[in-house]
């Protein structure tokens, strides 16, 4: 009887015995007792018998899991081929050794203690150990140890099966890291983010959402926002998303307990489909996954309050203007009524004088009456004159003010076909001044230029605005190639009620007089440049307003 290992795969001693037995039984030497052949046949097993021990052995040997059989103290008696491949140890190296040969000392002691307590209670232990290969590499071993009992129910052997789950562990780690990264990003976002299932239950929410839960004293913000969207915008957000429709930037207000005013949120919703996580989905035969809603709510309370405040301011200003106009109308009506009395007396006096039947004393009395009534009417008119609010001095940048006035005048300049040449000084110091007064000064001068260009009838209409620093003062030049101001009128134009326009509509002749007043207030001067012939150039200088202002 000779054992011949196959050249391809080296056979184990058990295999060698099995092969040798097979060969012997295939052609037993003549004279072999029948009982011996029978006993050996039982040992080898019938290869055609599905329950033959040899078949079991081959199945274990060729199994893809690392399988070992130990005695009751974990001394290795057998290891299969997968064990050799995974651990790097040959069978010859491990047989007779304790399984501890695979330990790399990184597994905590209590794991081994639990392992041993379990298997010694004749129960199967399943767990994960950190193993080492013969080459010194680490791998995570998912291990099952099952006790094998003898006829007396005592532990005879242990059957160990393990596989390398290092990759799986790494993937799980990567998944955990990804989740942590997503959570960090979501938590850092200054927006409420919440994922709801089809029943409106919260699956995932960020910190901003949790903060809102606190503000709402435990009330679910998703429900509060959904109700607000339904009631204020007429949209059921969940129904919308479940139907596959997204919505964006819908503003709603919610009232928080104890808060002074409502808080505003701009809400957007996106349908999110999840894949079917069940086992049947493994080969792509999944049921349609559940649809979720990703709800984002961006708080816009500050902006809304600003808009409301601006609206109120605007309303207040309009009311004040209306009140002023109303008051002036009333005062004018009263003055007209009061002026009627001296007019009547004047007419009567004139008639008496013409008839020659009025003494000087009578006429003098009448004149006094006229004077008194006239003074009363004058007082009424004076009282109606609105007193302009005193503007506080602030640091102003003349370039900025001119630019603002130019922007406001853009439409009119375009309509009048005026080409603007804007040449601000690159460096202009800020000076203390009254910015509203200066703005109205610049607006008036630009309005004058537009009218002068209109009245000139010139096809090419140019407006030049320039600033520069001259001896610490800011000089502004406003120059147009319009109709110009005659040389002899260059001082008169600053007199009150002087009007040199052809079209006098809406002109009271006070504009340049007031402009001069504003410039004087700013310690400066204003003049019509006598050297400029091709139109009109107004030159003005501005200094800081006096310190006592
Ligand atoms: P040890 O000091 O030997 O053991 C650590 C602790 O384990 C001890 O403090 C004690 O509480 C307990 N313990 C150890 N031996 C016994 C025992 N005979 N009876 C009761 N308690 C005991 N270990 C691995 O690291 N990797 C494996 O892949 C692996 N596979 C195994 C497969 C089988 C079938 C069996 C039975 C055991 C396996 N073990 C495996 C466990 C191994 O036998 C050692 O117990 C373990 O490696 C710890 O060895 P150690 O030298 O580091 O410490």
């Amino acid at each position: 009887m000779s054992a011949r290992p196959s050249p391809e795969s080296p056979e184990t001693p058990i295999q060698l015995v099995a092969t040798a037995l097979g060969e012997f039984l295939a052609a037993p030497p003549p004279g072999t007792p029948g009982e011996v052949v029978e006993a050996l046949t039982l040992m080898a097993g019938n290869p055609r018998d599905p329950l033959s021990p040899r078949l079991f052995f081959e199945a274990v040997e060729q199994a893809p899991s690392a399988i070992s059989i130990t005695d009751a103290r974990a001394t290795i008696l057998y290891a299969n081929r997968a064990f050799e491949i995974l651990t790097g140890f040959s069978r010859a190296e491990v047989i007779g050794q304790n399984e501890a040969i695979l330990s790399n000392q990184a597994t905590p002691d209590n794991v081994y203690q639990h392992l041993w307590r379990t298997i010694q209670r004749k129960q199967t232990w399943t767990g994960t150990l950190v193993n080492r290969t013969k080459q010194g590499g680490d791998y995570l071993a998912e291990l099952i140890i099952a006790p094998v009992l003898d006829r007396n129910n005592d532990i005879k052997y242990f059957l160990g099966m393990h596989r390398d789950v290092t990759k799986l562990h790494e993937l799980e780690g990567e998944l955990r890291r990804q989740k942590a990264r997503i959570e960090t990003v979501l938590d850092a976002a200054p927006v409420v983010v919440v994922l709801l299932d089809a029943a409106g239950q919260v699956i995932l929410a960020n910190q901003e959402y949790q903060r809102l839960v606190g503000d709402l004293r435990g009330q679910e913000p998703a429900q509060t926002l959904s109700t607000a969207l339904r009631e204020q915008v007429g949209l059921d957000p969940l129904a919308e998303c479940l139907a596959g429709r997204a919505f964006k930037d819908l503003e709603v207000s919610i009232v928080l307990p104890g808060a002074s005013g409502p808080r505003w949120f701009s809400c957007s919703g996106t349908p999110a489909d999840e894949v079917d996580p069940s086992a049947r989905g493994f080969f792509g035969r999944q049921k349609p996954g559940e649809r979720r809603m990703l709800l984002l709510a961006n708080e816009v309370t500050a902006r809304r309050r600003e808009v409301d405040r601006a609206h109120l301011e605007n309303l207040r200003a309009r009311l004040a203007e209306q009140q002023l106009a109303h008051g002036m109308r009333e005062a004018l009506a009263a003055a007209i009524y009061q002026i009627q009395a001296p007019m009547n007396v004047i007419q009567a006096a004139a008639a008496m004088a013409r008839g020659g039947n009025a003494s000087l004393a009578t006429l003098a009395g009448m004149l006094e009456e006229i004077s008194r009534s006239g003074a009363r009417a004058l007082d009424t008119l004076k009282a109606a004159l609105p007193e302009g609010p005193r503007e506080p001095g602030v640091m102003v940048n003349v370039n900025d003010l001119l630019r603002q006035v130019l922007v406001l005048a853009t439409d009119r300049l375009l309509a009048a076909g005026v080409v603007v040449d804007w040449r601000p000084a690159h460096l202009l110091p800020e000076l203390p001044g009254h910015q509203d007064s200066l703005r109205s000064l610049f607006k008036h001068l630009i309005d004058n230029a537009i009218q002068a260009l209109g009245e000139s009838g010139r096809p090419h209409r140019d407006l030049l605005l320039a600033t520069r620093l001259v001896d610490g003062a800011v000089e502004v030049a406003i120059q147009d190639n319009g109709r110009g101001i005659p040389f002899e009128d260059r001082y008169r134009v600053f007199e009150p009620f002087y009007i040199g326009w052809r079209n006098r509509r809406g002109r009271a002749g006070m504009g340049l007089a007031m402009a001069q007043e504003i410039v004087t207030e700013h310690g400066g001067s204003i003049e019509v440049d006598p050297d400029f012939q091709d139109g009109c150039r107004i030159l003005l200088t501005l200094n800081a307003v006096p310190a006592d202002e």
Side-chain angles (χ1 to χ4, degrees):
M1 197 166 68
S2 65
R4 283 189 309 257
S6 95
E8 293 88 27
S9 58
E11 288 187 291
T12 62
I14 296 177
Q15 275 176 305
L16 289 173
V17 170
T19 312
L21 265 178
E23 282 174 2
F24 177 85
L25 289 171
T32 308
E35 309 85 72
V36 173
V37 173
E38 202 178 320
L40 290 175
T41 307
L42 260 177
M43 253 180 83
N46 182 350
R48 282 186 297 277
D49 178 357
L51 295 178
S52 116
R54 188 169 175 193
L55 199 69
F56 277 116
F57 169 76
E58 286 299 338
V60 170
E61 178 61 15
Q62 291 172 32
S65 292
I67 297 176
S68 57
I69 297 172
T70 71
D71 66 10
R73 301 170 64 147
T75 307
I76 300 172
L77 304 173
Y78 165 76
N80 73 349
R81 193 164 298 157
F83 186 102
E84 287 182 306
I85 294 167
L86 178 58
T87 65
F89 289 107
S90 71
R91 282 178 246 238
E93 286 168 317
V94 292
I95 286 174
Q97 300 278 352
N98 191 287
E99 292 271 8
I101 194 171
L102 297 179
S103 164
N104 87 338
Q105 312 299 321
T107 306
D109 220 37
N110 62 337
V111 177
Y112 291 129
Q113 285 165 11
H114 179 251
L115 178 160
W116 279 104
R117 262 201 315 276
T118 309
I119 60 177
Q120 283 180 337
R121 267 193 233 122
K122 300 173 187 167
Q123 288 167 354
T124 301
W125 181 85
T126 306
T128 308
L129 306 175
V130 187
N131 272 3
R132 77 175 174 99
T133 62
K134 182 184 174 186
Q135 292 74 26
D138 292 337
Y139 68 95
L140 263 189
E142 189 186 71
L143 175 66
I144 300 173
I145 303 178
V148 180
L149 310 177
D150 64 11
R151 278 195 199 128
N152 301 324
N153 211 27
D154 290 328
I155 296 170
K156 187 115 202 256
Y157 307 108
F158 286 117
L159 173 70
M161 285 176 281
H162 78 271
R163 64 181 183 127
D164 182 355
V165 289
T166 315
K167 276 267 168 312
L168 205 68
H169 172 73
E170 281 169 4
L171 279 175
E172 277 170 3
E174 184 52 34
L175 209 66
R176 272 196 298 276
R177 275 194 295 280
Q178 285 272 19
K179 190 166 171 277
R181 270 183 228 131
I182 291 171
E183 277 171 3
T184 311
V185 170
L186 282 183
D187 284 343
V191 178
V192 170
V193 183
V194 59
L195 186 69
L196 303 172
D197 68 9
Q201 297 299 313
V202 175
I203 301 172
L204 190 125
N206 73 344
Q207 267 176 16
E208 276 297 308
Y209 184 89
Q210 304 303 347
R211 215 164 284 146
L212 201 53
V213 174
D215 292 348
L216 281 166
R217 312 245 166 99
Q219 216 174 308
E220 199 63 72
Q223 302 303 335
T224 311
L225 288 167
S226 295
T227 309
L229 280 164
R230 269 197 304 276
E231 288 174 358
Q232 295 167 31
V233 189
L235 174 132
D236 185 335
L238 197 59
E240 203 68 5
C241 282
L242 292 182
R245 290 187 292 272
F247 59 91
K248 209 165 170 250
D249 301 336
L250 300 179
E251 288 192 9
V252 290
S253 65
I254 60 173
V255 179
L256 287 111
S260 58
R263 277 169 67 179
W264 286 86
F265 290 86
S266 169
C267 302
S268 303
T270 313
D273 290 327
E274 278 199 359
V275 290
D276 174 17
S278 68
R280 61 174 16 247
F282 186 75
F283 291 111
R285 292 195 175 173
Q286 65 260 52
K287 293 180 273 180
E290 215 194 313
R291 181 158 279 173
R292 319 273 195 216
M293 171 172 79
L294 183 67
L295 180 67
L296 307 179
N298 187 15
E299 177 147 22
V300 291
T301 309
R303 179 169 61 72
R304 284 301 288 231
R305 286 205 181 130
E306 189 50 37
V307 169
D308 286 353
R309 197 193 59 75
H311 183 66
L312 267 178
E313 281 296 314
N314 191 283
L315 215 64
R316 197 172 292 136
R318 269 175 28 211
L319 279 175
E321 273 171 21
Q322 274 173 11
Q323 211 169 353
L324 190 71
H326 185 72
M328 282 178 73
R329 255 201 312 275
E330 270 183 5
L332 283 173
I336 289 168
Y337 174 76
Q338 283 168 338
I339 218 110
Q340 203 59 50
M343 294 288 286
N344 292 342
V345 180
I346 289 168
Q347 275 167 14
M352 283 170 83
R354 266 197 307 274
N357 48 3
S359 69
L360 273 177
T362 313
L363 282 175
M366 287 176 120
L367 281 175
E368 271 166 25
E369 173 58 27
I370 292 165
S371 162
R372 270 196 301 277
S373 311
R376 268 203 302 278
L378 215 58
D379 285 346
T380 309
L381 281 173
K382 272 188 193 156
L385 262 186
E387 202 177 298
R390 191 122 184 92
E391 201 192 342
V394 289
M395 296 307 286
V396 296
N397 183 308
V398 173
N399 278 346
D400 287 349
L401 296 182
L402 265 168
R403 196 177 293 116
Q404 287 164 6
V405 175
L406 256 184
V407 170
L408 289 174
T410 305
D411 287 349
R412 278 178 305 125
L413 288 163
L414 284 173
V418 179
V419 177
V420 177
D421 186 1
W422 168 224
R423 293 187 204 167
H426 290 305
L427 279 176
L428 216 51
E430 291 201 333
L431 46 91
H434 303 305
Q435 50 183 0
D436 283 350
S437 304
L438 289 173
R439 268 195 216 102
S440 70
L441 160 72
F442 296 142
K443 178 183 179 301
H444 187 80
L445 296 178
I446 290 173
D447 284 351
N448 278 358
I450 294 174
Q451 181 154 352
L453 286 163
E455 291 193 0
S456 73
R458 288 200 188 214
H460 301 296
R461 299 169 182 191
D462 298 326
L463 171 66
L464 179 130
L465 298 175
T467 57
R468 62 185 186 130
L469 195 62
V470 181
D471 300 331
V474 176
E475 186 194 77
V476 182
I478 298 177
Q479 170 189 315
D480 64 75
N481 65 339
R483 50 174 289 197
I485 294 175
F487 184 79
E488 59 280 10
D489 287 344
R490 68 185 203 280
Y491 297 121
R492 283 184 64 208
V493 288
F494 293 102
E495 286 172 10
F497 307 115
Y498 173 83
I499 303 176
W501 298 115
R502 270 181 223 126
N503 179 4
R504 302 163 66 100
R505 232 187 115 157
R507 295 292 190 162
M510 287 299 291
L512 282 180
M514 282 161 82
Q516 192 167 41
E517 201 179 301
I518 295 168
V519 172
T520 312
E521 257 181 27
H522 287 80
S525 62
I526 182 166
E527 62 163 348
V528 177
D529 185 352
D531 300 329
F532 187 74
Q533 306 298 324
D534 189 25
C536 170
R537 173 155 62 201
I538 302 282
L539 285 176
L540 61 98
T541 52
L542 297 168
N543 286 298
V545 283
D548 59 355
E549 296 227 347

